[in-house]
């Protein structure tokens, strides 16, 4: 029977006659390095709350993107007025005859009192409208915050002073009141007040109004982060090597502001969802027949619905609460994954 022979002065053993090698010691195993992104992903996967919230958020976006397909498979659309097409389903006041708003195997979430829209298709298309507007606003705010915030922080001097004073001026506006007051003004820039306003004009106006008063906080955060980064050694080394300011910003600063940028974006999007819904609820945003979360809340607050079909409020209310809470929890989990030292 053969066995490994230790070689004097050697770090390994010689195996004779194909004998099995001795087990490798833990300290002899090759260590593999992980990038910051891989470490962040590992920490995020360990956060059960964050993973569940991520699945919920993804589910909402999938529903929003697949709304036309879901509607086709369901066999109904959010624009059919069933009070006219099937009047036997409603009483003289326009309230569904069946209890709980007419919920049945044919109409999963019931029928809307009054016009009689299908609530299920109106809800999924409402999710589509609200998320589409909010994502567009978030992208516009992120781009503006990056351009102005990093520019002010890196260049400094008069540029920083001018951008800072613009931010201070816009932050002085009462945002909610300004949203309400400016919507008709922005709409009038595209359409005469005497003409009917197309839906795309209202959508564009919502995006512009929220963007104008939504980028300042992100720009201020990125400015502060850039001010701290521009004094670091690797920035000084890039300057000495002759790199242009644009290359320094693109190659050195931008990768180091991804963390606050991503975390703030996860907080901003649900905020814009609620703002858009609030404007539609007040009648200055999306109006019928275009489905929208805020427009559904507005309909649910009418006397006809409150007195006859209180269940109508449950579907848009619960869906919005779940989405906003899930997105906020996702933002917390992303922040903790990037910065494990932070405590909730």
């Amino acid at each position: 029977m053969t066995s490994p022979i230790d070689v004097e002065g050697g770090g390994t053993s010689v195996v004779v006659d194909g004998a099995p090698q001795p087990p490798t010691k833990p300290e002899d195993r090759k260590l593999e390095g992980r990038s910051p992104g891989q470490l962040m992903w590992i920490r995020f996967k360990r956060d059960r709350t964050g993973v569940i919230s991520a699945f919920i958020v993804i589910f909402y976006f999938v529903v929003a993107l697949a709304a036309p397909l879901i509607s086709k498979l369901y066999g109904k659309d959010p624009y059919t007025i069933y009070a006219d097409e099937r009047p036997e389903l409603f009483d003289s006041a326009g309230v569904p005859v069946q209890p709980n708003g007419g919920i049945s195997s044919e109409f999963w979430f019931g029928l809307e009192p009054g016009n009689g829209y299908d609530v299920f298709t109106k809800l999924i298309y409402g999710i589509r409208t609200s998320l589409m507007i909010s994502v567009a606003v978030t992208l516009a705010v992120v781009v503006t915050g990056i351009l102005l915030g990093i520019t002010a922080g890196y260049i400094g001097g008069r540029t920083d002073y001018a951008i800072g004073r613009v931010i201070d001026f816009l932050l002085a506006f009462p945002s909610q009141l300004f949203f309400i007051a400016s919507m008709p003004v922005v709409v009038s820039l595209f359409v005469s007040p005497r003409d009917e306003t197309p839906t795309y004009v209202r959508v564009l106006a919502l995006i512009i109004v929220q963007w104008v008063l939504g980028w300042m906080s992100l720009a201020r955060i990125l400015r502060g982060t850039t001010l701290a980064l521009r004094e670091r050694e690797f920035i000084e080394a890039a300057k000495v090597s002759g790199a242009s300011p644009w290359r320094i910003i693109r190659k050195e600063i931008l990768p180091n502001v991804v963390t606050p940028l991503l975390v703030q974006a996860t907080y901003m999007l649900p905020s814009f969802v609620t703002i858009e819904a609030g404007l539609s609820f007040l009648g200055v945003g999306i109006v019928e027949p275009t489905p929208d979360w805020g427009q559904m809340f507005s309909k649910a607050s009418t006397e006809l619905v409150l007195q006859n079909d209180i269940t109508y409020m449950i579907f848009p209310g619960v869906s919005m609460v779940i989405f906003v809470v899930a997105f906020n929890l996702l933002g917390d989990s992303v922040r903790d994954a990037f910065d494990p030292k932070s405590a909730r």
Side-chain angles (χ1 to χ4, degrees):
M1 184 175 184
T2 60
S3 61
I5 301 175
D6 293 333
V7 180
E8 183 179 358
T12 59
S13 300
V14 178
V15 180
V16 181
D17 294 338
Q21 295 183 359
T24 304
K25 297 180 180 179
E27 57 268 19
D28 294 336
R29 294 174 183 172
K30 184 179 179 181
L31 299 178
E32 296 182 0
R34 293 189 177 98
S35 65
Q38 291 175 326
L39 293 174
M40 186 277 294
W41 177 242
I42 292 173
R43 288 192 293 265
F44 179 78
K45 289 191 297 183
R46 293 172 181 169
D47 190 342
R48 183 176 300 178
T49 301
V51 172
I52 295 175
S53 299
F55 276 111
I56 293 175
V57 170
I58 293 173
F59 171 77
Y60 272 83
F61 277 96
V62 170
V63 169
L65 293 173
L69 177 61
I70 296 173
S71 176
K72 184 176 181 180
L73 295 175
Y74 179 54
K76 299 175 181 62
D77 62 74
Y79 306 105
T80 302
I81 303 177
Y82 286 97
D84 294 337
E85 294 198 359
R86 300 179 61 180
E88 70 277 3
L89 298 176
F90 302 85
D91 59 18
S92 59
V95 178
V97 176
Q98 295 186 11
N100 299 320
I103 296 177
S104 63
S105 59
E106 183 179 6
F107 301 98
W108 294 352
F109 288 0
L111 295 166
E112 181 184 273
N115 293 324
Y117 295 114
D118 178 73
V119 177
F120 175 73
T121 53
K122 191 169 185 177
L123 178 63
I124 61 175
Y125 271 86
I127 295 172
R128 180 186 180 91
T129 303
S130 296
L131 289 186
M132 177 187 68
I133 295 173
S134 301
V135 168
V137 176
T138 303
L139 291 176
V141 166
V142 167
V143 172
T144 306
I146 290 175
L147 292 176
L148 297 182
I150 294 181
T151 300
Y154 181 75
I155 297 178
R158 294 182 178 179
T159 302
D160 184 19
Y161 179 83
I163 295 176
R165 299 296 75 75
V166 172
I167 292 176
D168 293 337
F169 174 75
L170 292 177
L171 286 175
F173 281 89
S175 57
Q176 297 296 333
L177 294 177
F178 185 81
F179 288 148
I180 298 171
S182 59
M183 273 297 298
V185 177
V186 176
V187 169
S188 65
L189 297 176
F190 300 94
V191 180
S192 173
R194 296 185 296 271
D195 299 332
E196 184 178 356
T197 305
T199 300
Y200 76 90
V201 172
R202 290 187 175 274
V203 171
L204 184 61
L206 283 169
I207 295 173
I208 292 174
V209 168
Q210 294 182 81
W211 164 65
V212 168
L213 285 182
W215 61 270
M216 294 84 68
S217 60
L218 178 61
R220 177 170 284 183
I221 292 172
L222 294 181
R223 172 188 174 273
T225 305
T226 305
L227 283 173
L229 288 173
R230 74 176 186 179
E231 306 299 331
R232 299 283 295 273
E233 291 79 3
F234 65 92
I235 299 294
E236 295 296 333
K239 292 179 181 178
V240 172
S241 67
S244 63
W246 166 244
R247 180 176 177 81
I248 294 175
I249 291 175
R250 183 165 53 91
K251 294 292 187 178
E252 306 294 342
I253 294 180
L254 270 178
N256 286 281
V257 299
V258 170
T259 298
L261 185 64
L262 185 58
V263 172
Q264 289 300 313
T266 57
Y267 287 131
M268 287 190 301
L269 195 146
S271 175
F272 289 134
V273 168
T274 57
I275 291 173
E276 185 275 332
L279 293 174
S280 298
F281 174 82
L282 295 173
V284 294
I286 303 298
V287 297
E288 284 188 346
T290 304
D292 179 80
W293 259 335
Q295 189 270 323
M296 293 184 73
F297 285 131
S298 178
K299 182 70 175 182
S301 65
T302 60
E303 184 178 358
L304 178 65
V305 177
L306 290 175
Q307 292 183 354
N308 298 280
D309 184 17
I310 195 64
T311 58
Y312 178 81
M313 172 65 86
I314 293 177
F315 299 109
V318 171
S319 62
M320 174 172 281
V321 168
I322 292 176
F323 176 80
V324 173
V325 171
F327 224 114
N328 286 331
L329 292 176
L330 177 61
D332 290 338
S333 299
V334 171
R335 181 199 62 199
D336 295 341
F338 274 112
D339 185 9
K341 295 181 181 180
S342 65
R344 289 188 179 180

